[in-house]
PDB file of all heavy atoms in Angstrom:
ATOM      1  N   LEU A 568      12.566  16.889  -0.817  1.00 39.00           N
ATOM      2  CA  LEU A 568      12.374  17.136   0.616  1.00 39.00           C
ATOM      3  C   LEU A 568      11.406  18.291   0.834  1.00 39.00           C
ATOM      4  O   LEU A 568      10.567  18.244   1.734  1.00 39.00           O
ATOM      5  CB  LEU A 568      13.716  17.429   1.278  1.00 39.00           C
ATOM      6  CG  LEU A 568      14.730  16.286   1.269  1.00 39.00           C
ATOM      7  CD1 LEU A 568      16.003  16.703   1.995  1.00 39.00           C
ATOM      8  CD2 LEU A 568      14.142  15.043   1.906  1.00 39.00           C
ATOM      9  N   PHE A 569      11.518  19.323  -0.013  1.00 40.00           N
ATOM     10  CA  PHE A 569      10.600  20.451   0.125  1.00 40.00           C
ATOM     11  C   PHE A 569       9.166  20.030  -0.133  1.00 40.00           C
ATOM     12  O   PHE A 569       8.249  20.392   0.607  1.00 40.00           O
ATOM     13  CB  PHE A 569      11.004  21.570  -0.837  1.00 40.00           C
ATOM     14  CG  PHE A 569      10.037  22.730  -0.858  1.00 40.00           C
ATOM     15  CD1 PHE A 569      10.014  23.655   0.165  1.00 40.00           C
ATOM     16  CD2 PHE A 569       9.136  22.874  -1.907  1.00 40.00           C
ATOM     17  CE1 PHE A 569       9.118  24.710   0.147  1.00 40.00           C
ATOM     18  CE2 PHE A 569       8.239  23.922  -1.929  1.00 40.00           C
ATOM     19  CZ  PHE A 569       8.232  24.850  -0.899  1.00 40.00           C
ATOM     20  N   LEU A 570       8.967  19.220  -1.201  1.00 41.00           N
ATOM     21  CA  LEU A 570       7.617  18.760  -1.511  1.00 41.00           C
ATOM     22  C   LEU A 570       7.089  17.847  -0.421  1.00 41.00           C
ATOM     23  O   LEU A 570       5.904  17.880  -0.085  1.00 41.00           O
ATOM     24  CB  LEU A 570       7.615  18.047  -2.862  1.00 41.00           C
ATOM     25  CG  LEU A 570       7.842  18.940  -4.089  1.00 41.00           C
ATOM     26  CD1 LEU A 570       7.919  18.085  -5.348  1.00 41.00           C
ATOM     27  CD2 LEU A 570       6.772  20.002  -4.217  1.00 41.00           C
ATOM     28  N   SER A 571       7.981  17.000   0.146  1.00 39.00           N
ATOM     29  CA  SER A 571       7.554  16.128   1.238  1.00 39.00           C
ATOM     30  C   SER A 571       7.078  16.951   2.422  1.00 39.00           C
ATOM     31  O   SER A 571       6.080  16.645   3.059  1.00 39.00           O
ATOM     32  CB  SER A 571       8.706  15.220   1.668  1.00 39.00           C
ATOM     33  OG  SER A 571       9.111  14.389   0.622  1.00 39.00           O
ATOM     34  N   PHE A 572       7.816  18.054   2.696  1.00 39.00           N
ATOM     35  CA  PHE A 572       7.469  18.880   3.836  1.00 39.00           C
ATOM     36  C   PHE A 572       6.199  19.671   3.586  1.00 39.00           C
ATOM     37  O   PHE A 572       5.285  19.713   4.410  1.00 39.00           O
ATOM     38  CB  PHE A 572       8.630  19.833   4.163  1.00 39.00           C
ATOM     39  CG  PHE A 572       8.349  20.756   5.316  1.00 39.00           C
ATOM     40  CD1 PHE A 572       8.259  20.254   6.599  1.00 39.00           C
ATOM     41  CD2 PHE A 572       8.151  22.104   5.113  1.00 39.00           C
ATOM     42  CE1 PHE A 572       7.990  21.101   7.673  1.00 39.00           C
ATOM     43  CE2 PHE A 572       7.886  22.944   6.171  1.00 39.00           C
ATOM     44  CZ  PHE A 572       7.809  22.454   7.447  1.00 39.00           C
ATOM     45  N   THR A 573       6.112  20.301   2.402  1.00 39.00           N
ATOM     46  CA  THR A 573       4.944  21.124   2.137  1.00 39.00           C
ATOM     47  C   THR A 573       3.693  20.295   1.948  1.00 39.00           C
ATOM     48  O   THR A 573       2.591  20.746   2.235  1.00 39.00           O
ATOM     49  CB  THR A 573       5.166  21.991   0.880  1.00 39.00           C
ATOM     50  OG1 THR A 573       5.532  21.139  -0.204  1.00 39.00           O
ATOM     51  CG2 THR A 573       6.256  23.005   1.116  1.00 39.00           C
ATOM     52  N   SER A 574       3.832  19.044   1.483  1.00 39.00           N
ATOM     53  CA  SER A 574       2.636  18.215   1.290  1.00 39.00           C
ATOM     54  C   SER A 574       2.002  17.853   2.611  1.00 39.00           C
ATOM     55  O   SER A 574       0.788  17.734   2.710  1.00 39.00           O
ATOM     56  CB  SER A 574       2.991  16.943   0.512  1.00 39.00           C
ATOM     57  OG  SER A 574       3.842  16.116   1.268  1.00 39.00           O
ATOM     58  N   ILE A 575       2.817  17.693   3.670  1.00 38.00           N
ATOM     59  CA  ILE A 575       2.222  17.348   4.958  1.00 38.00           C
ATOM     60  C   ILE A 575       1.552  18.547   5.605  1.00 38.00           C
ATOM     61  O   ILE A 575       0.759  18.407   6.523  1.00 38.00           O
ATOM     62  CB  ILE A 575       3.258  16.729   5.922  1.00 38.00           C
ATOM     63  CG1 ILE A 575       4.324  17.753   6.308  1.00 38.00           C
ATOM     64  CG2 ILE A 575       3.884  15.497   5.355  1.00 38.00           C
ATOM     65  CD1 ILE A 575       5.262  17.286   7.393  1.00 38.00           C
ATOM     66  N   VAL A 576       1.887  19.764   5.104  1.00 39.00           N
ATOM     67  CA  VAL A 576       1.225  20.945   5.646  1.00 39.00           C
ATOM     68  C   VAL A 576      -0.262  20.895   5.328  1.00 39.00           C
ATOM     69  O   VAL A 576      -1.108  21.258   6.135  1.00 39.00           O
ATOM     70  CB  VAL A 576       1.870  22.228   5.080  1.00 39.00           C
ATOM     71  CG1 VAL A 576       1.086  23.452   5.515  1.00 39.00           C
ATOM     72  CG2 VAL A 576       3.319  22.322   5.543  1.00 39.00           C
ATOM     73  N   SER A 577      -0.604  20.441   4.122  1.00 40.00           N
ATOM     74  CA  SER A 577      -2.014  20.453   3.716  1.00 40.00           C
ATOM     75  C   SER A 577      -2.681  19.107   3.939  1.00 40.00           C
ATOM     76  O   SER A 577      -3.730  19.026   4.554  1.00 40.00           O
ATOM     77  CB  SER A 577      -2.118  20.843   2.249  1.00 40.00           C
ATOM     78  OG  SER A 577      -1.359  19.963   1.446  1.00 40.00           O
TER      79      SER A 577
END
Side-chain angles (χ1 to χ4, degrees):
L568 296 182
F569 175 76
L570 290 176
S571 298
F572 179 69
T573 54
S574 66
I575 66 172
V576 174
S577 57

